[in-house]
Amino acid sequence: MHIKPLAAAAGAAYLAALLALDHFADYHQQLALGVLTWCVLLTALLYVPVERRAQTLGVVCFATIGEVTGSLIWGVYHYRLHNLPLFVPPAHGLVYLTGLSLALALRAHARTLVAAAAIAAATWGLLGLFVLPRRDVAGALGIPLLLLFLWRGRNRAVYAAVFLVVASLELYGTAIGTWRWAPQLPGLGIPDGNPPSGVATGYVWFDVMALLVAPYVVDRIRRARRRAPVPARDDFRASAESL
């Protein structure tokens, strides 16, 4: 049974359905979608190694900081209800797991995957500068960094897969109005696309930070567990008698 392709397909299908449902949801229904998405993410984490759990939760943390900064504070983009939907943080974790599953499923074709992502990103950036009706200078500024990740990164296949997942969701989410990017970067006046071509660079950066931090976090947790004293059987007996 091909678990990785099924996991990638299931992740993509859930995320697409989530955005479609949010398009018709009021605030309270959106909260319910958030609770459901957290449950889906936590369930998915039960089936991955502890290192992957740490990486995924790291992505959730870094991405949420980015969401608060980019949407609520800076106003580069706005969600439909002008809030930060509860489903957004766990959805970032599902995006990472979906991209990871896709990368593992295409492990034998990693070079092709990376090349496809690089060509797609570069083409999108050029189209935003010279062809698309809404000029996308801000997005194009992120493309060189994304290409650098795809060229020199230690996890190039994962970055490529995440880019493809993110690009698909961005195009879909903006098309149905789940969120909308400002025509210009607030305070800078740099034209921005809807979505910008370089938006996946931010997601890849979240992945990079999570991949760097996760081994340290896992190591610290394991060290703490090894140093933790194990109560003797008599201690358990005394505690039980005292209740």
Side-chain angles (χ1 to χ4, degrees), residues 4-228:
K4 296 301 185 296
L6 288 176
Y14 178 83
L15 291 167
L18 174 65
L19 297 185
L21 291 172
D22 177 70
H23 180 69
F24 301 100
D26 59 24
Y27 176 71
H28 294 92
Q29 292 169 337
Q30 194 179 76
L31 290 178
L33 290 175
V35 173
L36 174 63
T37 305
W38 273 110
C39 292
V40 171
L41 175 62
L42 295 176
T43 301
L45 291 179
L46 295 176
Y47 297 92
V48 299
V50 64
E51 290 82 2
R52 296 300 187 195
R53 295 178 193 173
Q55 292 166 6
T56 304
L57 294 176
V59 168
V60 171
C61 291
F62 288 116
T64 301
I65 294 172
E67 291 278 358
V68 172
T69 303
S71 180
L72 300 182
I73 298 177
W74 193 3
V76 179
Y77 57 93
H78 294 286
Y79 286 96
R80 184 174 56 87
L81 300 181
H82 295 275
N83 61 344
L84 180 60
L86 183 61
F87 65 76
V88 169
H92 280 290
L94 293 176
V95 166
Y96 174 71
L97 289 176
T98 301
L100 177 62
S101 298
L102 179 60
L104 293 175
L106 300 177
R107 183 163 40 192
H109 309 283
R111 290 186 178 181
T112 302
L113 176 64
V114 172
I119 293 172
T123 302
W124 189 359
L126 291 173
L127 290 175
L129 286 175
F130 303 112
V131 178
L132 298 179
R134 177 164 161 170
R135 196 160 181 238
D136 182 20
V137 177
L141 292 175
I143 295 298
L145 181 58
L146 175 60
L147 295 178
L148 180 62
F149 284 139
L150 294 176
W151 178 42
R152 301 291 294 176
R154 294 181 57 187
N155 298 279
R156 292 187 293 273
V158 175
Y159 302 152
V162 168
F163 164 77
L164 295 175
V165 174
V166 169
S168 301
L169 291 175
E170 280 287 341
L171 291 169
Y172 178 59
T174 53
I176 65 175
T178 303
W179 60 86
R180 179 174 296 277
W181 292 79
Q184 299 178 341
L185 294 184
L188 298 178
I190 301 175
D192 201 16
N194 184 48
S197 57
V199 63
T201 304
Y203 285 80
V204 171
W205 183 248
F206 303 149
D207 297 347
V208 170
M209 295 300 296
L211 288 167
L212 289 175
V213 172
Y216 172 79
V217 173
V218 172
D219 180 67
R220 297 294 295 179
I221 292 175
R222 287 173 174 170
R223 287 174 180 267
R225 287 178 176 176
R226 285 197 294 266
R227 289 197 299 265

